[in-house]
Amino acid sequence: MSRFPVLLQDEPKTPPAPGKKWQKVTVAENGQEVEKWIEVDAAATETWPARSEMRLLNHALPRVDGPTKVTGAAQYAHDMRAPGMVYARFLRCPKPAAKILSIDTADALKLPRVVAADSLNVERTSYLGQPIAVVAAETPDAAEDALRALRVEYGELGWVLTHERALADGAPQVFDKKPKEGESPSNRVAERKRGDRDASRAAVEAAPFWTEQIYSLPVQHHACLETHGLMVDFRGGTEAVVHASTQGTFTVHGDAAEALGLPGASVRANVQHMGGGFGSKFGLGVEGQWACELSKRLKRPVHLLLTRADEFLFAGNRSGAVQKLAGGMAADGTLLGLSAEVDKLGGVGSGSYPMQPYVYKVGQSYCAVSRVHTNTDSARAMRAPGHPQASFGIESLIDELAYAAGLDLLEVRKKNLEDTVYHRQLERAAREIGWFEHPHRSRPGSHQAERAVGIGFAVATWGGGGAPTCQVEIRIQRDGSVTTSCGTQDLGTGTRTYMAAIVAEVLGLPIAAVEARIGSSEYGSANPSGGSTTVASLAPAVLDATFQARARLFELLAPALQTQPESLRIGVDGLLDTGSGRRLDWKQACALLPAEGLRTNGQWKEAFQGRGVHGAQAAKVEVDTLTGHVRVLKMVAVQDCGIPLNRLALESQINGGMIQALSYALFEERILEPWLGAALSADFEGYKLAGTLEMPELVPLIDDADTRQVVIGMSEAAIVPGHSAIANAVHNACGVRVRDLPLTSDKVLMALEKLRTQS
Amino acid sequence: MKTFELHLPRTIDEALALLERPGHAALAGGQDLLTELKEHIATPDALVDLSGIQGADAIELRADGSLSIGAGVTLAELEKHAELARRWPVLTEAATSIASAQIRSQATVGGNLCQRPRCWYYRNEALSCLKKGGTECLAYGGMNKYNAILGGGPSYIVHPSDLAPALVALDAEIEIASREPRGARRRIALASFFTLPAEGDVLRENVLAPGELVVAVHVPAHAAGNWRSTYLKFKERSSFDWALSAVALVARIDGARIAEARVVLGGVAPVPWRSKAAERVLAGRPIDDSAAREAGEAALAGAEPLSGNAYKVPLTKGLIVKALRAIGGRS
Ligand SMILES: Cc1cc2nc3c(=O)[nH]c(=O)nc-3n(C[C@H](O)[C@H](O)[C@H](O)COP(=O)(O)OP(=O)(O)OC[C@H]3O[C@@H](n4cnc5c(N)ncnc54)[C@H](O)[C@@H]3O)c2cc1C
């Protein structure tokens, strides 16, 4: 996730066991996508039904938990209350870095309703807003008062908040690490290199059209509606429940048990609904550690959900990037050379970036990626980590070179994309956005037009494959009720809905006849939802469990019907004995089950899933050249995903990707005061998200030409290209190239002014 | 927030008596004040809730064509008033442009005119800026994209109210009640209510003395003739946002020409910024782009952008062009 997957092993040399084969799979570990080799069945007997025969899958299914969400009945971690519960809050260090000389909690503890005040025992903070103390009180207000009553003595430390200052001569060092022999200390740490720098630069400079530019992107926040946190319900007994807002049910309860000093089996994680994660919510976190610690000590339930300011300052973000790209193009549009020097801005962490060239093929290329530390919180995985940054760099560069060469922007892309799936997707996006009727396809429009309209394109790639991580149980009762359960979590993607739909599809039932149960560590194991790996890990196990349930049903019913299991069939018309021609409806059939009903456990099957998705998007914008205002008129996304399990949920994911990208393109940006060391955008007034009036016509198109009969995750791909397409569309509209996102009106207007004075 | 006492007076006099005491602050819709309390930027001991005061929330249209708006009228009420929209579109458009529907349903006219600056240095509890008793305007040499290009110094805030430029363009007066001498009321031009930081107390944005209350604004009847008006506000994010710049334009049209005009800018200065120079340019001119461009040049001639807000100059000029076109297309 945080880069192109890290391949840990080579393909094993030993032959696989009989009936098995070696298969490379992707798993998300701590938000990072990692590749492994495993043995899988060489051939699957039965797989997904043909799409044409599907009754529920490949259709638009309203989410089964929609009504509970829109009526407010759905309970999130924030909503959880328990008798005797206290509210905990963190004190954040107001400086980007400081020595914490002392924290006096005495005054805080004297306040009414305050039950705890603790130093986190941080000696030196290394980022703005780092939590340094925690308090707990019987009301949120009392907790706020307690924070203000903490007396902290700070000692000065040097710090840097911006890329420029981090790299200045004599800049304070974020980490005081000893530099290597002969090197001076630097906040820049080289990470990865690929290709031959000199050869690539030579190829660039020998090309008939070449340019070198810096493309930069700000730090973006996940901006989850529900902040990070949890309610630990422990009252001093032998058991506890942790209600967590997390992307991984099973990433929480183990560490929580340890922190609570309870046996692992005595702590249950509960994640029925969660209000967004986008890659930022794995594991217990500092909030979970302290909620457990306080709960253990107080023997009272603890509610510790971060405040919005906490969320903006220490709950992770998408790393910023400063990319110096030099590219060269032949007269026919072929990319001959690319040299990329990239700094990731991941605060005290590393940040993410795939290598360049991203998706496109280039003759000679070189890419070096470094991280540049600043005194801000560590970046975390965020929906397609690193890809949107790389996309913005390469897609902008390609446009600049294409204009220089006077070439059609769509044709240039196809020329440099080997995989023809992209050609198909780009052409469809182009048709849908009106490219072929667009008046200027190889030169930008005029800045003199008052309302300048432009179109831009960009592409994406993602893995989206699964791994053997999910255990799915199906139970069928004598009364005909069916449940399918797995401890997995639903990040808003519709997990419950497809779990029920798969079972219902195969057993010939309506979707409402199957109840999907998730979000508890008491159920079968599941992977954390990261890297779009959920569906390809879970859906195969659900299908396998369903096939097994059907087989077991036939086995149990055959004797009662005096027939053989092989002659039984099930479908929308109920159970059929092909031998006798006798039919039973579902209830009649289940009534013949033994008292305990039946249960099966399904496992992941490699053959039911695949990996590798593409994606192409186009954006049409209108620039008001009097004000610099950019209005996105329309966005089109063409997205492949193997079998579309639920078309409505897929379209919703694609729309969400486009919306998040639009917001990133136009507004989103962490704003820090570089001289005083303060956060200026740690709320939704300073950190602007696109709202309803920014919404363009959104056209999410599922690429049905992708006929792979497997399930693949695609949600990450949908966020990768949108902002790049918008930036390119702005240039196409009026000739203004903004190389540092966001494309706020002030930048666009000043660039237009420059064009006006030049002409 | 700091614990406070809450008073619920029923009359202006009761309210004024309470506000005389130290540490007492007036609370109207709370859309600004509550934020300041939560962020510990304002820390009064007691709040005097004005919502129970009788008769403070009336919109009065008089037979002579004048208009009075009680300080307690909500922005939503203003926005929905059909007759206002017909006669003073500048006011309706200004009200509609403010914040979100939820906020407008609570926020009052009095509160909107008396709200404190939004400058992010001022609003950051950890920073001590000139507006909070500090020694310098941090925006001046800092992150000043949203700050003033006109009338700045020593503070560079922009006045946040959208109603203010519209009302100033309508030559409105503001009615202020004070306790001494008992029951005293004074009416002053709204334009002179707001103070430039260089002229007034830099800790405040207007002439209201502690303990005083705004009770109403009065809009005089227009002289006979064909009046048109518009409020054009530019927001970085359309969905709801503060003005990066705004133009309140009120004009009397004589045939195809502008007989007289008021041009008041919002979002660019510490006060609603009336440009008499632009008004002079427009007087007697046909409604067209060339008049608008000249007016724009005149209005912005004295602009002194800071390091990060030069864009406000062309932006405001562009808005003046649009505002003139808007009234050109209106009858
Ligand atoms: C998210 C957000 C966006 C906003 N966007 C805009 C915008 O785009 N344009 C805009 O103009 N405004 C905007 N506002 C501001 C909003 O319009 C004001 O906060 C609101 O009008 C204040 O009115 P209120 O009645 O809630 O005042 P309060 O918050 O109750 O009071 C504000 C201040 O005025 C004082 N006060 C109130 N009434 C009187 C009175 N009668 N006499 C003397 N002093 C008084 C109070 O003591 C306090 O200091 C926004 C606010 C928010 C929260």
Side-chain angles (χ1 to χ4, degrees):
Chain A
M1 296 193 15
S2 102
R3 51 198 61 134
F4 278 140
V6 187
L7 185 57
L8 291 184
Q9 313 158 321
D10 291 330
E11 182 166 359
K13 300 274 185 296
T14 50
K20 301 273 182 182
K21 63 175 183 182
W22 288 114
Q23 175 66 36
K24 191 167 67 175
V25 298
T26 312
V27 287
E29 290 177 351
N30 297 325
Q32 302 291 315
E33 205 173 67
V34 180
E35 288 191 340
K36 291 182 170 170
W37 287 94
I38 59 164
E39 276 185 359
V40 298
D41 291 339
T45 40
E46 187 183 4
T47 183
W48 296 97
R51 289 188 205 185
S52 56
E53 284 163 24
M54 286 174 170
R55 196 169 43 84
L56 299 168
L57 303 177
N58 196 27
H59 287 70
L61 307 171
R63 59 185 74 212
V64 295
D65 45 6
T68 60
K69 287 188 171 172
V70 297
T71 57
Q75 296 253 301
Y76 292 76
H78 261 262
D79 301 322
M80 296 298 170
R81 300 289 181 274
M85 189 183 87
V86 295
Y87 297 84
R89 289 271 189 285
F90 285 116
L91 181 72
R92 299 184 306 269
C93 179
K95 292 271 150 207
K99 287 186 199 138
I100 309 300
L101 303 175
S102 68
I103 300 183
D104 183 349
T105 59
D107 289 352
L109 286 166
K110 277 185 221 138
L111 292 175
R113 294 184 292 281
V114 174
V115 297
D118 284 77
S119 165
L120 267 49
N121 293 319
V122 178
E123 277 171 28
R124 301 161 64 99
T125 63
S126 56
Y127 62 88
L128 180 62
Q130 186 172 344
I132 53 173
V134 66
V135 299
E138 282 160 353
T139 65
D141 286 345
E144 295 288 341
D145 289 345
L147 286 184
R148 281 171 190 278
L150 295 171
R151 304 283 164 253
V152 186
E153 220 186 316
Y154 298 100
E156 292 274 328
L157 284 178
W159 47 262
V160 289
L161 289 181
T162 60
H163 180 250
E164 195 189 341
R165 296 197 141 213
L167 296 179
D169 281 345
Q173 295 300 298
V174 174
F175 295 110
D176 57 3
K177 257 194 356 226
K178 259 224 184 82
K180 285 195 205 123
E181 270 296 308
E183 284 178 18
S184 49
S186 171
N187 288 312
R188 180 188 267 134
V189 181
E191 283 186 358
R192 285 169 286 145
K193 265 190 193 131
R194 190 168 71 194
D196 180 333
R197 184 174 192 277
D198 293 341
S200 301
R201 285 229 54 120
V204 166
E205 287 170 31
F209 302 98
W210 73 277
T211 187
E212 177 161 16
Q213 302 291 348
I214 294 177
Y215 302 100
S216 57
L217 300 101
V219 165
Q220 183 187 23
H221 290 286
H222 298 81
C224 310
L225 266 194
E226 182 178 40
T227 58
H228 285 63
L230 62 183
M231 197 276 267
V232 178
D233 190 355
F234 173 68
R235 307 174 196 181
T238 56
E239 295 194 330
V241 185
V242 178
H243 304 278
S245 184
T246 181
Q247 294 178 235
T249 310
F250 296 94
T251 66
V252 172
H253 73 300
D255 288 344
E258 199 177 318
L260 286 163
L262 293 172
S266 304
V267 176
R268 175 164 69 83
N270 179 39
V271 192
Q272 291 308 305
H273 299 283
M274 63 87 69
F278 304 106
S280 67
K281 287 185 181 165
F282 298 100
L284 205 52
V286 62
E287 57 280 5
Q289 282 295 339
W290 277 96
C292 290
E293 172 74 31
L294 291 168
S295 184
K296 176 182 169 189
R297 183 174 359 129
L298 300 167
K299 298 189 169 48
R300 294 172 79 164
V302 174
H303 187 277
L304 205 179
L305 276 299
L306 300 190
T307 64
R308 187 55 65 185
D310 293 342
E311 188 78 4
F312 276 118
L313 289 167
F314 66 85
N317 53 72
R318 180 192 293 288
S319 49
V322 178
Q323 318 171 58
K324 192 160 148 204
L325 302 188
M329 187 175 272
D332 71 351
T334 306
L335 283 166
L336 301 172
L338 173 72
S339 163
E341 284 163 33
V342 179
D343 286 342
K344 298 175 297 168
L345 288 163
V348 294
S350 152
S352 311
Y353 196 84
M355 300 302 275
Q356 289 286 9
Y358 179 71
V359 187
Y360 292 91
K361 182 175 152 35
V362 178
Q364 270 285 350
S365 71
Y366 167 77
C367 180
V369 178
S370 305
R371 59 178 189 266
V372 172
H373 290 297
T374 56
N375 292 99
T376 54
D377 71 325
S378 172
R380 296 187 189 178
M382 180 167 174
R383 198 168 181 183
H387 287 228
Q389 294 94 314
S391 158
F392 179 62
I394 191 86
E395 299 282 5
S396 302
L397 181 74
I398 288 175
D399 260 32
E400 299 211 42
L401 292 169
Y403 285 119
L407 297 169
D408 181 294
L409 302 172
L410 180 70
E411 292 306 318
V412 156
R413 286 186 161 69
K414 282 158 54 187
K415 181 121 211 143
N416 296 289
L417 288 162
E418 286 188 302
D419 188 337
T420 55
V421 170
Y422 287 116
H423 298 207
R424 163 179 99 213
Q425 295 185 339
L426 277 168
E427 272 162 22
R428 185 156 176 218
R431 264 198 313 280
E432 194 66 36
I433 202 93
W435 178 247
F436 300 109
E437 301 82 54
H438 188 57
H440 38 95
R441 304 199 290 269
S442 53
R443 59 181 170 78
S446 163
H447 61 269
Q448 269 141 3
E450 258 188 48
R451 295 194 171 273
V453 173
I455 291 175
F457 297 96
V459 296
T461 183
W462 195 255
T469 45
C470 294
Q471 310 281 333
V472 173
E473 186 187 64
I474 291 181
R475 293 193 197 188
I476 302 176
Q477 312 289 347
R478 246 209 311 210
D479 66 356
S481 58
V482 184
T483 53
T484 170
S485 60
C486 176
T488 189
Q489 52 288 322
D490 187 339
L491 275 57
T493 50
T495 308
R496 279 188 181 83
T497 308
Y498 69 72
M499 278 178 74
I502 293 167
V503 181
E505 179 79 57
V506 174
L507 298 182
L509 296 170
I511 193 167
V514 181
E515 187 192 335
R517 296 183 178 171
I518 64 165
S520 168
S521 55
E522 300 289 277
Y523 298 145
S525 64
N527 54 325
S529 293
S532 296
T533 58
T534 310
V535 75
S537 299
L538 178 60
V542 179
L543 186 64
D544 181 53
T546 314
F547 286 156
Q548 288 192 42
R550 188 183 54 188
R552 185 80 189 121
L553 186 73
F554 292 166
E555 264 171 45
L556 290 168
L557 297 189
L561 296 171
Q562 294 171 324
T563 183
Q564 298 303 312
E566 302 78 59
S567 53
L568 290 175
R569 301 283 179 277
I570 196 143
V572 282
D573 301 321
L575 188 82
L576 170 70
D577 177 5
T578 50
S580 66
R582 185 172 163 202
R583 275 189 191 283
L584 294 179
D585 70 20
W586 175 255
K587 280 206 181 274
Q588 289 167 333
C590 292
L592 301 176
L593 285 172
E596 69 274 18
L598 78 77
R599 291 182 186 207
T600 56
N601 276 295
Q603 314 290 333
W604 185 74
K605 288 276 183 280
E606 189 271 335
F608 296 173
Q609 58 86 59
R611 56 169 295 136
V613 292
H614 311 74
Q617 295 189 12
K620 187 177 195 174
V621 307
E622 180 184 82
V623 180
D624 180 335
T625 57
L626 280 181
T627 61
H629 183 248
V630 175
R631 184 169 148 68
V632 182
L633 301 172
K634 184 173 181 177
M635 290 178 84
V636 178
V638 183
Q639 187 61 56
D640 50 336
C641 62
I643 300 171
L645 286 183
N646 177 356
R647 299 185 76 90
L648 194 58
L650 270 162
E651 286 173 359
S652 172
Q653 284 299 310
I654 299 171
N655 282 340
M658 287 192 277
I659 291 169
Q660 227 169 0
L662 177 149
S663 192
Y664 187 38
L666 299 185
F667 308 117
E668 290 188 46
E669 173 178 26
R670 166 185 263 178
I671 301 169
L672 299 168
E673 218 298 346
W675 305 280
L676 301 170
L680 299 178
S681 62
D683 58 35
F684 281 130
E685 183 172 334
Y687 190 80
K688 294 183 184 180
L689 290 174
T692 44
L693 294 182
E694 274 70 41
M695 290 306 113
E697 179 189 355
L698 293 169
V699 186
L701 298 173
I702 297 167
D703 183 5
D704 287 303
D706 175 16
T707 52
R708 290 175 288 179
Q709 264 306 82
V710 290
V711 167
I712 317 172
M714 50 54 68
S715 289
E716 322 252 338
I719 204 187
V720 173
H723 60 297
S724 307
I726 290 170
N728 281 342
V730 167
H731 183 262
N732 180 252
C734 62
V736 163
R737 173 68 60 188
V738 174
R739 300 189 181 89
D740 56 326
L741 291 187
L743 284 146
T744 46
S745 54
D746 57 318
K747 288 184 201 165
V748 177
L749 185 56
M750 289 309 273
L752 282 163
E753 285 289 290
K754 211 165 140 194
L755 290 180
R756 286 193 266 259
T757 52
Q758 279 164 5
S759 69
Chain B
M1 64 181 81
K2 189 176 132 188
T3 306
F4 56 83
E5 248 179 69
L6 181 68
H7 298 283
L8 293 158
R10 310 297 297 174
T11 65
I12 290 276
D13 283 341
E14 276 174 47
L16 290 171
L18 288 161
L19 286 168
E20 221 176 30
R21 304 183 194 164
H24 282 52
L27 173 74
Q31 295 307 296
D32 183 30
L33 189 54
L34 285 184
T35 323
E36 288 211 304
L37 295 179
K38 282 194 248 175
E39 285 162 14
H40 289 249
I41 292 165
T43 52
D45 302 317
L47 294 185
V48 179
D49 183 346
L50 306 179
S51 63
I53 294 178
Q54 267 116 37
D57 54 358
I59 298 178
E60 254 182 85
L61 286 157
R62 292 203 196 72
D64 68 356
S66 66
L67 163 73
S68 293
I69 305 167
V73 169
T74 65
L75 302 182
E77 284 160 352
L78 209 57
E79 172 187 9
K80 286 186 201 122
H81 201 291
E83 188 57 16
L84 247 60
R86 201 178 65 77
R87 284 162 64 179
W88 294 279
V90 65
L91 205 51
T92 308
E93 289 170 9
T96 309
S97 80
I98 295 172
S100 63
Q102 289 98 319
I103 290 172
R104 293 197 295 275
S105 72
Q106 289 297 310
T108 65
V109 170
N112 187 272
L113 296 175
C114 298
Q115 62 176 305
R116 303 302 317 275
R118 299 307 296 195
C119 177
W120 48 22
Y121 288 97
Y122 169 75
R123 294 276 163 172
N124 191 313
E125 191 196 346
L127 302 177
S128 168
C129 77
L130 200 55
K131 278 272 164 201
K132 292 189 287 190
T135 53
E136 58 175 324
C137 175
L138 301 174
Y140 179 69
M143 311 276 281
N144 46 37
K145 171 178 169 183
Y146 300 114
N147 292 82
I149 53 168
L150 286 161
S155 159
Y156 289 83
I157 63 142
V158 293
H159 200 280
S161 168
D162 283 303
L163 285 186
L167 286 165
V168 169
L170 292 170
D171 292 331
E173 291 184 336
I174 189 163
E175 184 177 345
I176 297 168
S178 48
R179 190 149 153 80
E180 284 307 329
R182 202 179 157 69
R185 300 276 176 117
R186 59 190 165 113
R187 264 168 85 147
I188 57 169
L190 183 62
S192 54
F193 175 72
F194 299 105
T195 50
L196 280 174
E199 292 164 357
D201 176 357
V202 78
L203 297 176
R204 292 162 342 110
E205 294 76 44
N206 53 53
V207 298
L208 206 64
E212 288 188 324
L213 278 177
V214 171
V215 287
V217 283
H218 304 282
V219 177
H222 277 314
N226 173 12
W227 288 85
R228 298 184 197 170
S229 70
T230 190
Y231 188 72
L232 221 92
K233 167 176 171 183
F234 185 77
K235 313 176 201 182
E236 187 163 49
R237 171 185 57 190
S238 309
S239 287
F240 80 78
D241 213 342
W242 305 86
L244 293 189
S245 174
V247 178
L249 175 65
V250 177
R252 183 163 59 83
I253 311 297
D254 188 3
R257 286 173 189 275
I258 300 167
E260 58 175 313
R262 287 283 180 281
V263 178
V264 184
L265 307 179
V268 291
V271 297
W273 187 263
R274 179 167 172 196
S275 174
K276 290 191 179 159
E279 293 171 5
R280 277 194 297 274
V281 169
L282 292 178
R285 295 281 293 267
I287 309 174
D288 58 23
D289 279 7
S290 85
R293 293 223 164 80
E294 267 180 58
E297 292 302 327
L300 278 302
E304 291 180 351
L306 304 172
S307 57
N309 63 7
Y311 73 94
K312 286 195 176 189
V313 174
L315 173 61
T316 309
K317 289 180 187 169
L319 291 179
I320 291 173
V321 169
K322 284 174 184 276
L324 218 70
R325 287 182 191 168
I327 64 161
R330 229 166 241 183
S331 52

